[in-house]
């Protein structure tokens, strides 16, 4: 129901005289919260409370308030600048409003303007303000410095949640039966050489690691292509570091190496293997070579290989990303990846408090791009789509069902 300005004036005229100073600012701040955007102006005009008082009340509400006999806030000594100049906080809030992100009444807000620029603007408006004072005032207003967060996933597939439930059900079924479940993906390609790497590490003071000024890759030194396999049941990982292309043949070769190096010994009685993978990339559900190479792997190992793909646009939920790749990145932060040997050793040295262990090796194989898989070759793959989204979920048998 729309509240008329005259009714708001009558309400505050009747209520505020019955309240002490603390109660007045809390009630006023609560009313601002009810009205949302533009509420601060409306409440200030109707109640006669200063906007500075309403801001203080909002901060107290956000921090949590309890019943107290105290009327005034604790503190003493020299008055702060915002007490001597109440308009200062109001003016600063108006300055950052257009650049603020999120709900103006949220307890956590942030601004893109620097404190130095805001201090200059306040000084130009006739208020003596330093960048330090602006930083303190922004804290009072609930602002903080923040970096962008990847949270917008775009258009979602209508069966996205259903696919997550189905994938998790398949994983539980395999794990409960003692069968291996792996999460696979290609880590970000890395420049090999004296290039800057994100992050910091401790060095002797005044002796930072020197790297090239520009990140122009040397054509004689190709990028490293790390393809990872994360064993969900045993919390172990394998990474093949290639120097050729990120192709489906390389992806399956990495899985094959994991099985021969780690998987077969860990699961000597396995009859099935579940692979969870992104919807795109070298292991995407539309990639024909991915399926033909998996057929070769199934025939070699005797394993019935089930693949469940994450829905499009949900790669960040792939377990290998936050259970293995993120720790590899932390482990080599601040260090230039000067050689393939360095990359392999840093990956293999990655551990976590939860017991993650990783093995790694360089793969010097040649995996050409652009190989076409014909319809006949694809039809020869012993592939059985599942009833639920057979394009995302399918089984590749070690032998053709008709054999």
């Amino acid at each position: 129901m729309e509240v008329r300005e005259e009714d708001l004036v009558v309400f505050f005229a009747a209520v505020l005289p019955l309240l002490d100073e603390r109660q007045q600012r809390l009630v006023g701040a609560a009313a601002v919260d009810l009205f949302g955007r533009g509420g601060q102006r409306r409440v200030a005009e109707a109640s006669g409370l200063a906007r500075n008082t309403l801001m203080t009340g909002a901060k107290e509400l956000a921090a949590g308030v309890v019943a107290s006999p105290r009327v005034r806030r604790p503190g003493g000594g020299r008055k702060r600048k915002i007490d001597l100049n109440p308009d200062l906080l109001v003016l600063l809030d108006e300055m950052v409003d257009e650049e603020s992100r999120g709900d103006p009444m949220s307890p956590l807000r942030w601004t893109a303007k620097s404190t130095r620029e805001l201090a200059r603007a306040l000084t130009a408006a006739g208020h003596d303000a330093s960048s330090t004072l602006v930083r303190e005032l922004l804290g009072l207003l609930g602002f903080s410095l923040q970096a962008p967060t990847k949270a917008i996933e775009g258009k979602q597939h209508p069966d996205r949640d259903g696919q997550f439930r189905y994938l998790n059900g398949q994983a539980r079924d395999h794990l409960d039966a003692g069968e291996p479940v792996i999460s696979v993906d290609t880590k970000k390609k890395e420049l090999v050489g004296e290039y800057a790497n994100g992050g910091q590490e401790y060095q002797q003071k005044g002796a930072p690691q020197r790297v090239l000024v520009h990140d122009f890759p040397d054509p004689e030194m190709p990028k490293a292509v790390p393809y990872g396999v994360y064993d969900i049941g045993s919390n172990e990982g394998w990474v093949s570091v290639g120097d050729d292309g990120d192709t489906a043949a390389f992806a399956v070769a990495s899985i094959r190496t994991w099985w021969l190096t780690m998987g077969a010994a860990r699961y000597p009685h396995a009859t099935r293997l579940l692979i969870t993978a992104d919807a795109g990339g070298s292991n995407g559900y539309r990639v024909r070579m991915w399926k033909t190479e998996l057929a070769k792997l199934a025939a070699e190992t005797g394993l019935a290989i089930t693949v469940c793909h994450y829905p499009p646009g949900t790669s960040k939920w792939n377990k290998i990303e936050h259970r293995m790749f993120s720790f590899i990145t932390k482990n080599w932060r601040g260090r230039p990846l000067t050689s393939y040997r360095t990359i392999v050793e840093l990956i293999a040295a990655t551990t976590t408090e939860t017991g993650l262990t990783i093995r790694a090796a360089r793969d010097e194989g040649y995996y050409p791009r652009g190989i076409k898989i014909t319809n006949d070759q694809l039809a020869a793959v012993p592939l059985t789509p599942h009833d639920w989204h057979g394009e995302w979920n399918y089984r590749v048998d070690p032998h053709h069902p008709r054999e």
Side-chain angles (χ1 to χ4, degrees):
M1 182 179 67
E2 181 67 24
V3 178
R4 296 182 303 172
E5 299 298 328
E6 52 267 32
D7 293 334
L8 201 58
V9 172
V10 171
F11 168 78
F12 283 118
V15 171
L16 292 184
L18 306 177
L19 307 177
D20 59 37
E21 181 182 314
R22 176 175 182 266
Q23 293 168 339
Q24 287 181 2
R25 66 174 176 264
L26 292 178
V27 168
V32 171
D33 201 16
L34 286 175
F35 287 118
R37 192 168 184 84
Q40 190 180 96
R41 176 190 55 77
R42 293 187 63 186
V43 172
E45 293 176 353
S47 65
L49 296 172
R51 289 178 61 183
N52 193 37
T53 299
L54 295 175
M55 292 177 190
T56 303
K59 189 171 183 294
E60 291 180 87
L61 288 176
V65 292
V66 295
S68 172
R70 180 184 292 272
V71 175
R72 295 183 178 273
R73 289 173 294 156
R78 189 175 62 181
K79 287 184 175 293
R80 298 176 304 170
K81 284 198 174 184
I82 57 171
D83 294 326
L84 296 172
N85 185 0
D87 292 336
L88 188 61
L89 199 62
V90 174
L91 181 59
L92 178 62
D93 188 59
E94 291 176 346
M95 285 182 176
V96 297
D97 181 68
E98 291 182 357
E99 297 293 327
S100 63
R101 306 292 190 264
D103 183 355
M105 295 307 298
S106 169
L108 188 63
R109 301 166 64 185
W110 67 282
T111 176
K113 291 180 177 177
S114 72
T115 54
R116 185 173 300 174
E117 292 174 340
L118 291 169
R120 288 198 192 102
L122 287 171
T123 302
H127 301 273
D128 183 20
S130 65
S131 59
T132 301
L133 175 63
V134 169
R135 189 178 300 110
E136 294 174 357
L137 297 182
L138 287 173
L140 290 175
L141 289 172
F143 282 75
S144 65
L145 286 174
Q146 299 182 35
T149 180
K150 294 181 178 180
I152 303 174
E153 298 181 353
K155 186 177 181 181
Q156 298 179 0
H157 193 283
D159 290 332
R160 173 188 126 141
D161 292 344
Q163 176 63 9
F164 275 119
R165 288 192 293 270
Y166 188 82
L167 184 152
N168 291 332
Q170 290 289 314
R172 281 194 301 270
D173 175 70
H174 280 71
L175 291 172
D176 290 345
E179 305 283 7
V181 178
I182 60 175
S183 171
V184 302
D185 197 13
T186 305
K187 193 180 185 300
K188 181 178 72 72
K189 298 179 180 66
E190 301 290 346
L191 297 174
V192 181
E194 300 286 349
Y195 299 105
N197 197 3
Q200 298 174 319
E201 70 168 351
Y202 282 102
Q203 300 278 3
Q204 285 291 335
K205 188 175 181 180
Q209 178 76 47
R210 295 181 179 274
V211 296
L212 296 173
V213 174
H214 301 291
D215 290 342
F216 300 133
D218 183 348
E220 300 300 322
M221 184 68 76
K223 292 182 179 180
V225 185
Y227 190 91
V229 179
Y230 175 68
D231 184 342
I232 295 174
S234 65
N235 195 28
E236 294 176 336
W238 171 267
V239 178
S240 289
V241 180
D243 58 9
D244 195 35
D246 179 22
T247 66
F250 172 58
V252 176
S254 302
I255 298 172
R256 179 183 291 106
T257 304
W258 162 79
W259 176 254
L260 295 176
T261 306
M262 302 175 69
R266 172 68 69 177
Y267 305 97
H269 306 295
T271 60
R272 297 180 291 160
L273 169 65
L274 175 63
I275 300 175
T276 62
D278 290 348
S282 58
N283 45 230
Y285 70 92
R286 290 192 178 99
V287 181
R288 292 187 170 198
M289 180 171 283
W290 164 251
K291 296 173 182 177
T292 57
E293 291 294 321
L294 284 178
K296 296 177 185 177
L297 179 62
E300 294 169 13
T301 61
L303 297 171
I305 300 176
T306 297
V307 182
C308 291
H309 292 275
Y310 286 90
T314 61
S315 60
K316 70 176 182 179
W317 301 108
N318 195 338
K319 282 185 168 52
I320 195 172
E321 295 289 347
H322 48 86
R323 291 194 182 180
M324 194 172 87
F325 285 167
S326 61
F327 296 106
I328 292 173
T329 301
K330 289 179 182 179
N331 191 51
W332 67 28
R333 68 188 185 278
R335 305 185 191 183
L337 306 176
T338 56
S339 66
Y340 287 101
R341 179 178 178 178
T342 299
I343 293 174
V344 169
E345 290 178 351
L346 287 172
I347 291 174
T350 302
T351 58
T352 66
E353 293 182 357
T354 58
L356 171 68
T357 58
I358 306 174
R359 296 176 65 181
R362 184 178 176 185
D363 185 334
E364 299 185 67
Y366 175 58
Y367 304 100
R369 301 177 179 84
I371 297 178
K372 303 296 184 182
I373 302 299
T374 66
N375 291 336
D376 290 340
Q377 289 175 309
L378 183 62
V381 174
L383 185 147
T384 305
H386 290 197
D387 292 335
W388 170 262
H389 276 286
E391 75 278 16
W392 293 341
N393 309 287
Y394 47 87
R395 186 184 73 250
V396 180
D397 292 300
H399 303 291
H400 201 283
R402 292 175 298 198
E403 296 179 356

